[in-house]
Amino acid sequence: MKFGGTSVASVERIRNVARHVKREVDAGNNVAVVVSAMAGKTNELVAFCREASMLHDAREYDAVVASGEQVTAGLLAIVLQEMGIWARSWQGWQIPIFTDGAHGAARITGVNGSNIVSRFKERGEVAVVSGFQGIHEPTGRLTTLGRGGSDTSAVALAAAIKADRCDIYTDVDGVYTTDPRIVPHARRLDRITFEEMLEMASLGAKVLQVRSVELAMVHDVPTYVRSSFDDPDSPKDGTLICAEEDIVEQQIVTGIAYSKDEAQITLRRVADKPGVAAAIFVPLAEANINVDMIIQVVSDDTITTDITFTVSTADYERARAILEKAHDTIGFASLQGATDVVKVSAIGIGMRSHAGVAARAFKALADKGINIRAITTSEIKFSVLIDAAYTELAVRTLHSLYGLDKAA
Ligand code: ADP
Ligand code: ASP
Ligand code: MG
């Protein structure tokens, strides 16, 4: 069972979490619980680090931001004990959860679930685990898994202890056809495939960390997203993330996602000759900058062309600086950038077998006067880059277009 920030936002909310745990214990289950920091806590800790120094040591950032989860793990153990349930808190290093050394965005490399499992066997003890953190064994230092990383802690632990299920409790009662905060007509999905959830998460649906879905898919962990705000004694349905063969009713489009974490760069009048794309993208790759959408315009004069691509907003300034520096090798007339853009995507495994799914979207967006700056497509999704001002209109338009709106 994993409980996110809003679910543990106060001691009162933690008591409510404990009642969910008690229900599972009373039903005869062994339970490992992964908790996030109280809502807003991690943001506060990140801000402290920035205030202390804009260029802080990543190891010390981890030392600071991992503390939020330690508080909630201890508190939940106390509350469970008070309810008469055997419970013990565990920090990442105590389990241990091993990670690589990429401080601030570490990847889990292994989890030793044996201590937790022996406590299950000895006395049915509930393990309360601090999410978001692990240990880099060679240096013995604490690491964190990147924002939203408690989801990944939970799935990795579930895989390690061979749990029957990984329940992710959050502030919505499942995965919706799109973010319910911006489309009130969004519907809860009963089921979604691992592949679709992976795309949804990668393309901006922050309900699960991308890495947690990858792990769930690789280790085949049935993952269930549900609400901690349900009455603990009569919980309602959530969304099961499962393999494709377990999906009964298949839609062409399952969900719409959007991401504001995109910035557009256009290089005007670059030479239209072999090696130019390499001259642009190799230096960016060497600086660890991920490039997402790429468009090269066919030129009129066959001598020069325009190249447009997107990077994440965090890399935008760095990318510009690298390109300006490489100006002479690339040879472009001007560099134009835009950060007020958003990527809207539609996802569905049904796209594999249906033609013209994206074309309908282009028409619908045009009818609303929304200009498309860039497009990418792959087997089970397509994305369009548009002006950020049209985010909600575009998401709502596509949501209705593919019949995802909840019946009124
Ligand atoms: P937690 O603190 O429990 O980890 P998060 O805030 O990380 O919770 O994730 C839950 C939020 O994800 C929801 O409140 C919702 O606004 C947002 N969200 C974005 N896209 C979706 C979606 N397709 N389905 C459900 N929730 C979504
Ligand atoms: N507390 C961490 C964060 O806010 C991890 C998590 O909640 O999943 O990013
Ligand atoms: Mg989260």
Side-chain angles (χ1 to χ4, degrees), residues 307-380:
I307 293 189
T308 293
F309 57 90
T310 63
V311 297
S312 86
T313 48
D315 291 333
Y316 175 65
E317 292 298 341
R318 227 157 40 93
R320 283 190 72 130
I322 289 168
L323 294 166
E324 294 288 5
K325 214 171 132 206
H327 181 268
D328 292 347
T329 32
I330 306 169
F332 52 87
S334 65
L335 186 161
Q336 292 165 351
T339 50
D340 53 348
V341 291
V342 65
K343 183 173 68 175
V344 177
S345 310
I347 298 108
I349 45 174
M351 280 189 213
R352 278 192 204 128
S353 44
H354 287 80
V357 180
R360 288 173 58 202
F362 305 152
K363 165 110 187 25
L365 294 173
D367 289 346
K368 300 274 178 185
I370 302 174
N371 185 40
I372 300 174
R373 290 163 170 258
I375 300 170
T376 50
T377 65
S378 73
E379 210 188 10
I380 65 164

Side-chain angles (χ1 to χ4, degrees), residues 2-8 36-37 39 147-151 168-182 186-189 192 197 200-201 204-209 225-226 228-229 239 255-258:
K2 179 259 172 177
F3 294 88
T6 3
S7 307
V8 294
S36 285
R147 298 307 303 272
S150 296
D151 298 325
I168 306 274
Y169 286 82
T170 181
D171 56 1
V172 270
D173 59 356
V175 178
Y176 276 65
T177 46
T178 193
D179 188 344
R181 276 188 221 165
I182 78 158
R187 264 191 294 123
R188 182 180 59 80
L189 296 159
I192 183 170
M197 192 62 232
M200 289 274 283
K206 294 216 172 85
V207 58
L208 288 177
Q209 198 194 33
V225 178
R226 56 195 308 188
S228 73
F229 288 77
T239 301
I256 311 292
Y258 67 95

Side-chain angles (χ1 to χ4, degrees), residues 37-50:
M38 290 180 174
K41 197 64 190 171
T42 310
N43 287 345
E44 184 187 49
L45 295 169
V46 171
F48 283 154
C49 291
R50 294 208 177 119

